């Protein structure tokens, strides 16, 4: 019973709790319903009120438009309060526009003070309310301006409306209420305007103007009207002027207005009066002085992203180009500001693309975010920046350098006495004479003289300007060539800068700059920047000038100045390498080295192509080749760097010796040299004389690289299929190689063509008619490489431009196809350069960016650029046309053939081995020395057979005839008759393989069975079996062997030898 009562009690408590819960839920529901109803009623009430207000506003503006009586300022004020109370940007856009128009209309009414909206500012009760209202209205105008697109017609009208509101109520000049007696109120009204302006500034007024300007101007054609741009700029200037150019407002103006892309250019185009306002306030000077304080300049740069910093820079440069006086007065500050801003941008300029970089059309790869919306305005920005390297600004900035008069020297300079090579003697003499006579009467800048203190104000100023341009070059990477072209436009800037450099320091020039390399001071860096700028600009100038401009017209530099400069550069680069500076160089020092070295090599290559420097000018007398070779053997870094960068300081013969040592070392490493313990692997090939080229190609092209470098033995098969007699101890292979090379380089085969004029060889553009022509070129490259590898000289004269490609010079940044063009076709070069010098309108000639060529009877049109046959050549693109044409003729047409030949050549000869030679030197390596044949050297290294000896009368006659009766041309023909090459080996006849031999013969070659005891004795004692007067001398070029009958008279020997070499009998295998 007890348990039953307990359970009923629990049930009772549960029911009571449930009832309580239900009552609470009911109350919650009722309270929520009341709250919801209240919210809904409030919402509906608000909506109703908003509708009522909006209807009232609509009625107000409707009646105003219908032409009813003019509304009083008070009624406008009240309706504006109501509209602002319910204002919503989307819904009330049109009503707000009507309000703005109504207010502006009220301000235009004549002689009705009660209508003027601004009159409420004079009411004691409403002044504060009116000020708050106008502040709100103007800020809403700003918010609308942020969203409008000036390029849309409807939006552009609204832009004008809102700008007019801002212009009207931030300045009292248009307020009619202040005319006449109201003038006394102007100070108070100005104070109200300043209050309004301050409020807008706090809210972000300049940001609004920046967005509007960027939307309207950051494009190829501006979409802002003249009126709008004038209004915006006036608005931007008002706070700055009102605050008397305080630092805070100058900062805002620079960050938000002056960083708008090309705004100064647009002002000059659309509303030049605004520029006059800038000038009247001396704003440019104030900007420069503000930014000249490093902390403030850094602050502005940090606030602006890289692109915008560049835009600010462009606008400042443009302003500078319009303000000569300020630029002259504030040169130091102006230069300092630009250096700082460019250096800030440079921190983010990257050398290559990565995940952290963005592409910028002026800066290149950039590691800050890039505003791609500015890309359309980049051409305009570039035009602004161009003023920095324009003639006008260069004249102002470099006035100290350009005002210098170059030393006068009325005496005609004496010709240099250094000997020149026979080949160049006459032209060189005339060239020097013309150059010295022409230039010596004008100026004489030959040697560094020194005497100017490097800490003087003048030197510091010039150094700063050089630092500015050097920083510009390294920052604005995508327009670097434009900058260099601008800096080299004035013919006298670079010579005068060189004269300035020559005057620096106690002794001038070299010593000072070498000391700077070891000093890590700011002054040293600035001096080195001057040298670097001089080198970069001069190198660019000499690269773009053609031979006529350099050698005959002598634009900018006289030839003797180039001699002096090259001597300075040669010494400077040598010292940098030899003193170990380059080994550990980083950053600016390495850039300086590459700059100086680049200028040096441009001059050296120009001199190799056409001489301007004296004999041995490039050699270093204080460098002993033996010391260099020892250091190379020890793998010393400085010796390797010297060989890599300036091998020309080492005499040519020593470099050839070094080359031969490198080949020998590789042969030893590959086991290709016979030793007491091992013999090298020998490759045997059988060649049919009637199909020499085909058999050689088939059997050798499959050989491995090492096998090609190794010993190759040749067995010839004659036309009857019988093996020819003879043992190949290099001699037969030499004949095979010479015959192969003779065949493949024969223009009749059409693998190679000859240049017009001096008939030098280069790959034929139509060689593709051969089957497997690229494999053939690769094979030719291997054969040529094998000849050089083995030291076999072959008489193959290559065109200079092709040798440059073989050396890899055409990959250099400074390589100019136009400079090499005369070596292909001098007449074509003259025609192209006449286009460059054509004074009239080049389009009258009817040329296009294409090249028409007769290819095997058919006219083929080659487009130099895609769509080139439809693009006319004009005065603007004629320089491009010349370079494109030269590049097409020498590279594009034969690109695949050249690449295949180089590939074959480099499989035998490593590129680094021949990099130490110039193009003419490589030709000498391939074809022997072009110097006079040294008969004493040949005599010293001659071997005699068949009874001949050095004192034999026939031998004495032979040397006497060669020395005294034969001309140099006949001596060359004699050498060709015996060795197949008219030039002696580069290192002398000691290196002729096999050695030159003379053998006494008694019978004709087909009866000759070799030397016997009887024949040797007869030869030795001058006993003739029979008179050999009817027989001619013969030769075996494969063995470098002259077969000479035992003639009885010297006259017979002379006559027969002369006839034999002129008929070129020989080339037989004994």
């Amino acid at each position: 019973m007890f348990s039953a009562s307990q359970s009923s009690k629990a049930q009772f408590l549960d029911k009571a709790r449930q009832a309580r819960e239900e009552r609470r839920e009911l109350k919650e529901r009722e309270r929520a319903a009341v709250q919801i109803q209240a919210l809904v009623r409030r919402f509906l009430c608000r909506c109703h009120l908003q509708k009522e207000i909006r209807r009232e506003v609509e009625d107000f503006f409707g009646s105003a438009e219908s032409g009813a009586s003019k509304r009083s300022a008070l009624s406008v004020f009240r309706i504006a309060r109501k509209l602002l109370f319910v204002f919503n940007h989307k819904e009330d856009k049109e009503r707000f526009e009507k309000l703005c128009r109504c207010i502006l209309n009220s301000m235009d009414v004549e002689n009705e003070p009660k209508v003027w909206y601004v009159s409420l500012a004079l009411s004691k009760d409403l002044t504060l309310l009116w000020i708050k209202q106008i502040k709100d209205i103007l800020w809403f105008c700003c918010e609308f301006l942020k969203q409008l697109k000036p390029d849309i017609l409807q939006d552009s009208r609204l832009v004008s409306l809102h700008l007019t509101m801002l212009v009207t109520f931030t300045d009292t000049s248009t307020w009619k209420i202040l005319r006449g007696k109201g003038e006394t109120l102007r100070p108070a009204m100005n104070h109200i305007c300043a209050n309004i302006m301050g409020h807008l500034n706090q809210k972000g007024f300049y940001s609004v103007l920046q967005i509007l300007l960027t939307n309207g101007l950051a494009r190829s054609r501006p979409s802002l009207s003249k009126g709008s741009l004038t209004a915006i700029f006036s608005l931007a200037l008002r706070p700055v002027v009102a605050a008397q150019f305080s630092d805070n407002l100058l900062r805002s103006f620079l960050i938000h207005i002056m960083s708008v892309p090309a705004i100064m250019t647009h002002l000059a185009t659309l509303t030049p009066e605004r520029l006059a306002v800038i000038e009247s306030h001396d704003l440019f000077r104030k900007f420069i002085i503000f930014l000249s304080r490093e902390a403030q300049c850094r602050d502005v740069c940090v606030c602006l992203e890289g692109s915008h910093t560049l835009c600010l820079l462009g606008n400042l440069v443009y302003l500078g180009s319009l303000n000569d006086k300020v630029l002259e007065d504030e040169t130091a500050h102006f230069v300092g500001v630009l250096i700082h801003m460019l250096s800030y941008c440079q921190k983010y300029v990257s050398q290559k693309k990565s995940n952290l970089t963005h592409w910028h059309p002026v800066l290149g790869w950039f590691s800050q975010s890039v505003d791609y919306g500015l890309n359309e305005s980049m051409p305009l920005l570039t035009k602004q920046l161009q003023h920095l390297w324009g003639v006008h600004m260069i004249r102002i900035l470099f006035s100290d350098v350009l005002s210098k008069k170059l030393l006068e020297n009325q005496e005609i300079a004496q010709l240099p006495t250094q000997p020149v090579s026979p080949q160049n003697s006459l032209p060189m003499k005339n060239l020097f004479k013309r150059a010295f006579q022409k230039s010596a009467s004008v100026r004489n800048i030959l040697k560094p003289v020194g005497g100017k203190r490097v800490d003087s104000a003048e030197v510091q100023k010039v150094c700063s300007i050089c630092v500015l341009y050097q920083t510009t070059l390294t920052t604005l990477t995508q327009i670097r060539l434009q900058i260099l072209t601008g800096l080299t436009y004035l013919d006298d800037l670079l010579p005068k800068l060189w004269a300035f450099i020559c005057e620096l320091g106690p002794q001038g020039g070299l010593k000072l700059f070498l000391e700077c390399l070891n000093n890590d001071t700011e002054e040293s860096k600035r001096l080195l920047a001057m040298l670097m700028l001089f080198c970069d600009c001069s190198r660019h100038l000499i690269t773009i000038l053609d031979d006529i401009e350099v050698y005959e017209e002598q634009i900018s530099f006289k030839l003797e100045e180039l001699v002096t400069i090259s001597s300075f550069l040669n010494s400077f680069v040598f010292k940098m390498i030899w003193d170990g500076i380059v080994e550990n160089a980083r950053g600016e020092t390495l850039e300086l080295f590459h700059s100086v070295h680049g200028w040096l090599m441009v001059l050296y290559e120009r001199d190799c192509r056409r001489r301007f420097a004296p004999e041995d000018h490039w050699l270093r007398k204080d460098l002993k080749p033996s010391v260099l070779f020892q250091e190379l053997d020890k793998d010393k870094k400085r010796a390797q760097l010297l060989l890599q960068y300036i091998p020309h300081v080492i005499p040519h013969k020593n470099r050839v010796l070094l080359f031969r040592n490198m080949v020998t070392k590789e042969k030893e490493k590959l086991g290709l040299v016979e030793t007491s313990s091992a013999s090298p692997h020998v490759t045997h090939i059988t060649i049919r004389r009637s199909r020499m080229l085909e058999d050689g190609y088939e059997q050798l092209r499959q050989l491995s690289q090492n096998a090609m470098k190794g010993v190759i033995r040749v067995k010839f098969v004659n036309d009857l299929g019988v093996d020819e007699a003879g043992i190949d101890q290099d001699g037969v292979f030499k004949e095979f190689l010479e015959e192969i090379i003779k065949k493949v380089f024969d223009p009749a085969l059409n693998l190679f063509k000859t240049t017009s004029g001096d008939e030098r060889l280069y790959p034929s553009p139509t060689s593709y008619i051969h089957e497997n022509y690229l494999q053939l070129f690769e094979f030719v490259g291997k054969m040529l490489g094998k000849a050089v590898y083995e030291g076999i000289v072959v008489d193959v004269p290559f065109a200079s431009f092709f040798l440059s490609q073989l050396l890899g010079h055409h990959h250099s940044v400074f390589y100019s196809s136009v400079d090499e063009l005369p070596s292909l076709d001098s007449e074509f070069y003259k025609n192209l350069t006449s286009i460059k010098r054509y004074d009239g309108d080049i389009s009258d000639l009817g040329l296009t960016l294409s090249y028409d060529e007769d290819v095997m009877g058919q006219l083929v049109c080659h487009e130099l650029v895609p769509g080139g046959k439809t693009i006319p050549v004009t005065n603007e693109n004629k320089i491009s046309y010349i370079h494109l044409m030269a590049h097409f003729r020498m590279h594009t047409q034969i690109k695949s053939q050249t690449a295949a030949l180089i590939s074959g050549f480099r499989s035998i000869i490593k590129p680094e081995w021949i990099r130490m030679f110039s193009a003419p030197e490589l030709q000498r390596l391939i074809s022997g020395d072009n110097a006079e044949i040294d008969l004493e050297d040949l005599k010293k290294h001659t071997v005699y057979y068949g009874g001949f000896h050095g004192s034999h009368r026939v031998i004495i006659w032979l040397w006497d005839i060669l020395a005294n009766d034969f001309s140099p041309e006949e001596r060359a023909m004699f050498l060709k008759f015996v060795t197949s090459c008219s030039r002696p080996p580069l290192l002398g006849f000691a290196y002729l393989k096999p050695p030159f031999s003379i053998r006494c013969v008694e019978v004709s070659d087909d009866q000759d069975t070799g030397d016997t005891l009887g024949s040797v004795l007869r030869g030795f004692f001058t006993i003739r079996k029979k008179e050999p007067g009817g027989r001619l001398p013969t030769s075996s070029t494969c063995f470098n062997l002259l077969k000479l009958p035992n003639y009885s008279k010297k006259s017979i020997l002379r006559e027969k030898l002369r006839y034999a070499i002129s008929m070129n009998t020989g080339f037989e295998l004994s």
Side-chain angles (χ1 to χ4, degrees):
M1 183 172 176
F2 180 75
S3 61
S5 66
Q6 277 185 333
S7 63
S8 62
K9 185 181 176 181
Q11 286 172 357
F12 173 77
L13 289 172
D14 278 345
K15 282 179 183 177
R17 191 175 64 250
Q18 283 173 6
R20 221 172 27 251
E21 289 286 330
E22 283 171 8
R23 283 195 302 275
R24 195 172 71 244
E25 280 178 19
L26 188 62
K27 279 181 184 177
E28 277 293 319
R29 239 184 258 120
E30 285 174 358
R31 193 179 62 78
V34 170
Q35 195 172 358
I36 290 168
Q37 285 170 1
L39 284 168
V40 170
R41 277 199 301 272
R42 190 170 73 185
F43 173 74
L44 292 172
C45 184
R46 198 164 62 240
C47 286
H48 177 70
L49 180 63
Q50 285 173 348
K51 277 183 184 175
E52 285 296 316
I53 291 172
R54 286 189 174 111
R55 192 180 297 116
E56 190 181 341
V57 171
E58 290 287 350
D59 292 343
F60 180 85
F61 291 129
S63 61
E65 286 170 8
S66 64
S69 60
K70 290 168 186 169
R71 301 290 183 178
S72 68
L74 190 59
S75 64
V76 173
F77 173 74
R78 284 171 180 160
I79 206 72
R81 280 192 80 182
K82 289 181 179 180
L83 179 60
L84 294 176
F85 178 67
V86 297
F87 187 73
N88 178 283
H89 275 85
K90 285 186 180 176
E91 288 186 42
D92 297 313
K93 187 178 173 186
E94 287 184 21
R95 294 180 190 92
F96 185 75
E97 290 165 23
K98 289 175 182 176
L99 173 64
C100 291
R101 286 199 171 89
C102 184
I103 291 171
L104 290 172
N105 289 339
S106 79
M107 295 293 288
D108 288 337
V109 175
E110 292 289 339
N111 302 319
E112 292 193 38
K114 287 187 178 178
V115 176
W116 296 331
Y117 177 70
V118 79
S119 64
L120 297 173
L122 303 175
S123 167
K124 285 183 181 178
D125 299 333
L126 297 176
T127 302
L128 294 176
L129 292 172
W130 180 83
I131 290 172
K132 184 182 184 312
Q133 188 180 87
I134 195 64
K135 282 179 180 177
D136 290 342
I137 290 172
L138 293 182
W139 182 245
F140 285 139
C141 286
C142 289
E143 292 198 320
F144 278 119
L145 284 172
K146 276 200 284 189
Q147 297 162 6
L148 294 171
K149 303 291 180 193
D151 51 333
I152 300 169
L153 182 61
Q154 189 178 354
D155 279 13
S156 71
R157 288 175 183 157
L158 294 176
V159 166
S160 298
L161 173 67
H162 296 312
L163 285 174
T164 309
M165 280 294 291
L166 286 162
V167 169
T168 304
F169 292 102
T170 54
D171 185 75
T172 59
S173 57
T174 59
W175 294 2
K176 293 183 173 66
I177 199 168
L178 299 179
R179 290 178 187 170
K181 292 178 182 178
E183 190 64 41
T184 54
L185 301 170
R186 192 174 292 277
M189 294 294 105
N190 282 339
H191 188 69
I192 289 173
C193 283
N195 188 338
I196 294 168
M197 202 78 243
H199 171 77
L200 292 175
N201 276 339
Q202 283 180 343
K203 299 271 280 184
F205 180 56
Y206 274 118
S207 296
V208 172
L209 294 183
Q210 182 182 17
I211 291 166
L212 182 59
L213 284 168
T214 305
N215 286 341
L217 301 180
R219 50 187 62 242
S220 50
R221 292 183 64 185
S223 55
L224 284 174
S225 65
K226 175 180 177 176
S228 297
L229 185 56
T230 305
I232 296 168
F233 201 76
S234 300
L235 285 167
L237 214 48
R238 276 176 188 174
V240 182
V241 176
Q244 296 183 327
F245 309 99
S246 70
D247 282 358
N248 266 348
L249 283 160
L250 277 175
R251 176 183 180 276
S252 294
F253 193 88
L254 284 165
I255 289 172
H256 297 290
I257 306 303
M258 290 297 289
S259 67
V260 173
I263 185 170
M264 292 298 124
T265 303
H266 291 302
L267 284 176
T269 309
L270 294 172
T271 171
E273 309 84 46
R274 294 300 96 196
L275 287 179
V277 172
I278 290 174
E279 196 172 340
S280 68
H281 289 302
D282 204 11
L283 263 184
F284 176 58
R285 191 190 302 270
K286 291 179 172 69
F287 291 152
I288 294 303
I289 290 170
F290 173 82
L291 290 167
S292 65
R293 296 191 280 276
E294 195 176 323
Q296 291 174 175
C297 188
R298 192 186 308 114
D299 169 49
V300 169
C301 290
V302 170
C303 289
L304 295 170
E305 168 266 321
S307 289
H308 291 282
T309 304
L310 205 60
C311 294
L312 170 58
L313 187 79
N315 286 316
L316 289 174
V317 166
Y318 186 76
L319 270 183
S321 70
L322 303 175
N323 291 271
D324 292 1
K325 175 119 185 21
V326 179
L327 203 57
E328 287 165 11
D329 296 345
E330 304 293 342
T331 298
H333 285 147
F334 177 72
V335 168
V337 167
L338 295 196
I339 290 171
H340 195 95
M341 293 173 79
L342 285 164
S343 300
Y344 175 79
C345 290
Q346 194 186 69
K347 285 193 296 186
Y348 301 99
V349 173
S350 182
Q351 294 301 312
K352 56 187 176 183
K353 180 182 179 181
S354 74
N355 294 333
L356 302 173
T357 58
H358 309 269
W359 176 252
H360 191 283
V362 175
L363 300 163
W365 291 113
F366 198 69
S367 59
Q368 265 191 339
S369 61
V370 170
D371 185 348
Y372 291 108
L374 300 182
N375 278 11
E376 263 192 84
S377 59
M378 281 302 140
L380 274 175
L381 169 62
T382 306
K383 277 190 175 177
Q384 282 189 320
L385 291 170
Q386 281 169 355
H387 287 284
L388 182 58
W389 49 88
V391 172
H392 183 68
M393 199 169 284
I394 285 175
R395 284 197 190 281
I396 294 171
L397 295 182
F398 278 111
S399 57
D400 290 349
V401 173
L402 291 168
S403 63
K404 294 179 75 64
K405 284 195 173 180
L406 299 172
L407 298 172
E408 298 290 331
N409 179 14
Q410 298 302 330
E411 296 175 16
I412 299 299
Q414 294 301 308
L415 289 176
T417 55
Q418 288 93 333
V420 290
S421 62
Q423 181 191 350
N424 289 334
S425 59
L426 189 62
M428 274 294 290
K429 186 175 179 183
N430 293 337
L431 188 65
F432 269 111
K433 190 172 182 179
R434 276 205 316 276
F436 272 78
Q437 284 177 346
K438 179 178 178 182
S439 60
S441 59
V442 181
R443 66 175 190 244
N444 174 29
I445 311 171
L446 290 177
K447 291 180 181 176
V449 290
K452 188 168 285 191
R453 288 179 63 87
V454 293
D455 56 357
S456 67
E458 181 194 6
V459 173
Q460 291 303 309
K461 180 184 171 186
V462 175
C463 283
S464 294
I465 293 161
C466 291
V467 170
L468 165 62
Y469 284 111
Q470 196 55 42
T471 313
T472 308
L473 285 168
T474 50
T475 306
L476 311 181
T477 58
Q478 299 311 296
I479 52 174
R480 182 182 168 87
L481 290 180
Q482 276 187 40
I483 301 166
L484 288 168
T485 304
L487 288 168
T488 55
Y489 187 81
L490 283 177
D491 286 345
D492 58 342
L493 175 62
L494 291 174
K496 287 181 176 179
L497 188 58
W498 170 244
F500 189 83
I501 287 169
C502 287
E503 291 176 3
L504 297 177
Q507 281 103 22
L510 187 64
K511 191 176 179 186
L512 171 71
F513 288 106
L514 288 171
E515 285 170 2
C516 287
L517 285 171
N518 298 314
N519 298 334
D520 197 23
T521 62
E522 200 59 38
E523 188 182 83
S524 296
K525 286 179 182 175
R526 288 150 71 87
L527 283 166
L528 291 172
M530 183 198 295
L531 178 63
M532 196 167 166
L533 182 74
F534 171 73
C535 290
D536 285 343
C537 293
S538 304
R539 176 183 61 201
H540 178 74
L541 176 68
I542 294 296
T543 305
I544 59 177
L545 294 179
D546 58 41
D547 282 359
I548 295 168
E549 291 164 327
V550 172
Y551 291 89
E552 283 148 42
E553 295 173 5
Q554 295 187 37
I555 290 175
S556 278
F557 292 110
K558 305 303 172 191
L559 287 181
E560 70 271 22
E561 288 167 354
L562 293 181
V563 172
T564 309
I565 292 166
S566 59
S567 177
F568 167 84
L569 298 173
N570 209 33
S571 299
F572 189 77
V573 172
F574 174 73
K575 291 283 186 185
M576 277 191 84
I577 294 172
W578 206 243
D579 293 349
I581 295 168
V582 178
E583 288 177 46
N584 310 306
R586 297 284 180 277
E588 290 172 353
T589 309
L590 198 58
E591 284 174 21
L592 170 72
F593 173 75
H594 288 307
S595 180
V596 180
H597 175 257
W599 174 209
L600 171 68
M601 294 316 291
V602 165
L603 286 175
Y604 174 67
E605 281 161 22
R606 180 77 80 162
D607 185 61
C608 289
R609 214 166 44 244
R610 183 173 168 185
R611 291 283 298 279
F612 65 80
E615 194 77 23
D616 297 340
H617 170 73
W618 303 98
L619 301 180
R620 290 291 303 181
K621 303 289 191 296
D622 53 345
L623 176 67
K624 292 183 179 175
S626 56
V627 174
L628 178 72
F629 291 173
Q630 284 169 14
E631 294 209 2
L632 283 170
D633 288 339
K634 294 172 186 173
D635 288 333
K636 287 282 185 72
K637 186 71 176 171
R638 69 174 187 175
Q640 292 169 346
L641 288 170
L642 193 80
L643 206 59
Q644 180 185 342
Y645 286 110
I646 47 168
H648 59 255
V649 300
I650 310 160
H652 178 241
K653 286 205 170 181
N654 293 102
R655 277 179 280 143
V656 176
L657 203 58
L658 188 62
F659 171 76
R660 298 270 29 119
N661 288 345
M662 288 172 174
V663 172
T664 304
K665 279 182 183 174
E666 187 185 78
K667 284 185 172 182
E668 289 169 355
K669 188 178 174 184
L670 296 174
L672 304 177
V673 178
E674 188 146 356
T675 62
S676 54
S677 56
S679 293
H681 172 75
V682 177
T683 303
H684 292 276
I685 58 172
T686 302
I687 303 295
R688 291 170 289 178
R689 277 203 180 269
S690 57
R691 293 180 57 81
M692 193 179 289
L693 179 57
E694 293 85 344
D695 287 356
Y697 170 69
E698 283 302 324
Q699 293 186 55
L700 292 178
R701 75 186 182 94
Q702 296 168 2
L703 291 183
S704 68
Q705 190 173 311
N706 286 352
M708 273 299 294
K709 290 179 178 182
V711 180
I712 301 173
R713 295 280 182 240
V714 178
K715 180 169 279 297
F716 279 121
V717 175
N718 65 19
D719 294 344
L720 301 172
V722 178
D723 288 356
E724 291 186 3
I727 300 164
D728 185 2
Q729 289 294 332
D730 296 331
V732 180
F733 176 72
K734 176 177 178 281
E735 185 196 2
F736 162 71
L737 192 63
E738 287 165 348
E739 287 296 309
I740 284 277
I741 284 173
K742 197 166 134 191
K743 284 180 188 293
V744 294
F745 287 107
D746 184 352
L749 188 64
N750 196 37
L751 275 179
F752 287 82
K753 276 183 80 172
T754 55
T755 59
S756 59
D758 53 1
E759 296 194 342
R760 291 182 164 268
L761 294 159
Y762 69 98
S764 168
T766 55
S767 54
Y768 56 79
I769 60 169
H770 290 280
E771 192 180 352
N772 302 327
Y773 74 104
L774 292 180
Q775 288 92 325
L776 265 173
F777 271 103
E778 189 176 358
F779 170 70
V780 172
K782 287 180 178 179
M783 291 292 96
L784 190 63
K786 179 68 172 172
V788 174
Y789 194 76
E790 300 298 345
I792 299 170
V793 288
V794 286
D795 210 350
V796 183
F798 285 116
S800 174
F801 80 89
F802 179 67
L803 289 166
S804 293
Q805 293 183 40
L806 205 55
L807 288 165
H809 289 174
H810 60 299
H811 294 306
S812 165
V813 185
F814 316 114
Y815 179 81
S816 170
S817 299
V818 177
D819 289 340
E820 294 275 17
L821 189 58
S823 69
L824 171 68
D825 190 335
S826 56
E827 199 59 40
F828 187 67
Y829 171 75
K830 281 179 189 170
N831 294 338
L832 275 186
T833 49
S834 68
I835 291 173
K836 179 180 174 180
R837 288 170 170 71
Y838 188 71
D839 293 330
D841 186 355
I842 205 78
S843 56
D844 294 343
L845 301 180
L847 298 168
T848 60
L849 294 182
S850 60
Y851 173 61
D852 294 328
E853 184 185 26
D854 184 353
V855 180
M856 292 178 285
Q858 284 190 325
L859 193 66
V860 178
C861 177
H862 304 283
E863 292 190 327
L864 303 178
V865 293
K869 62 184 175 187
T870 61
I871 303 172
V873 177
T874 62
N875 287 346
E876 285 71 38
N877 66 8
K878 66 180 181 182
I879 299 297
S880 296
Y881 169 73
I882 291 166
H883 282 271
L884 286 167
M885 185 67 89
H887 188 266
F888 176 80
R889 286 289 307 273
M890 294 192 296
H891 298 273
T892 312
Q893 266 196 317
I894 55 170
K895 187 178 180 181
S896 52
Q897 293 95 319
T898 303
L901 188 142
I902 289 173
S903 169
F905 185 78
R906 287 184 177 175
S907 68
I908 309 295
I909 302 293
K910 291 181 180 177
E912 57 269 27
W913 289 352
I914 56 167
R915 216 167 272 149
M916 55 183 166
F917 300 108
S918 64
E921 288 170 343
L922 179 61
Q923 181 66 66
R924 288 163 68 188
L925 194 69
I926 293 168
S927 300
D929 209 333
N930 53 7
E932 182 72 53
I933 295 167
D934 186 347
L935 287 175
E936 287 303 316
D937 183 47
L938 180 59
K939 192 190 296 186
K940 186 177 169 184
H941 296 99
T942 301
V943 181
Y944 301 101
Y945 297 105
F948 278 162
H949 49 85
S951 303
H952 195 287
R953 69 175 188 180
V954 175
I955 299 302
I956 293 170
W957 291 342
L958 174 68
W959 294 123
D960 187 57
I961 290 165
L962 287 172
N964 300 316
D965 297 345
F966 276 19
S967 65
E969 290 75 22
E970 286 176 319
R971 284 194 284 274
M973 286 165 65
F974 169 76
L975 193 62
K976 187 176 177 75
F977 175 71
V978 181
T979 67
S980 81
C981 185
S982 58
R983 296 177 177 187
L986 271 181
L987 298 175
F989 288 101
Y991 287 82
L992 185 67
K993 297 287 190 259
F996 176 59
S997 316
I998 305 175
R999 179 165 167 255
C1000 179
V1001 290
E1002 297 179 316
V1003 291
S1004 62
D1005 281 340
D1006 55 347
Q1007 298 171 317
D1008 190 6
T1009 56
D1011 289 342
T1012 62
L1013 180 61
S1015 69
V1016 171
L1017 288 171
R1018 281 192 294 274
F1020 188 82
F1021 292 111
T1022 322
I1023 302 166
R1024 285 180 294 282
K1025 207 173 182 181
K1026 59 182 178 181
E1027 177 58 50
R1031 291 195 51 237
L1032 292 170
T1034 56
S1035 66
S1036 289
T1037 56
C1038 57
F1039 288 115
N1040 299 324
L1041 173 66
L1042 173 66
K1043 300 181 201 174
L1044 201 61
N1046 195 347
Y1047 293 114
S1048 59
K1049 290 181 182 176
K1050 181 181 177 182
S1051 57
I1052 297 172
L1053 170 60
R1054 180 170 51 243
E1055 179 194 337
K1056 299 294 181 186
L1057 186 61
R1058 186 169 271 150
Y1059 182 78
I1061 63 172
S1062 62
M1063 297 305 293
N1064 205 16
T1065 58
F1067 300 104
E1068 297 162 4
L1069 178 69
S1070 296

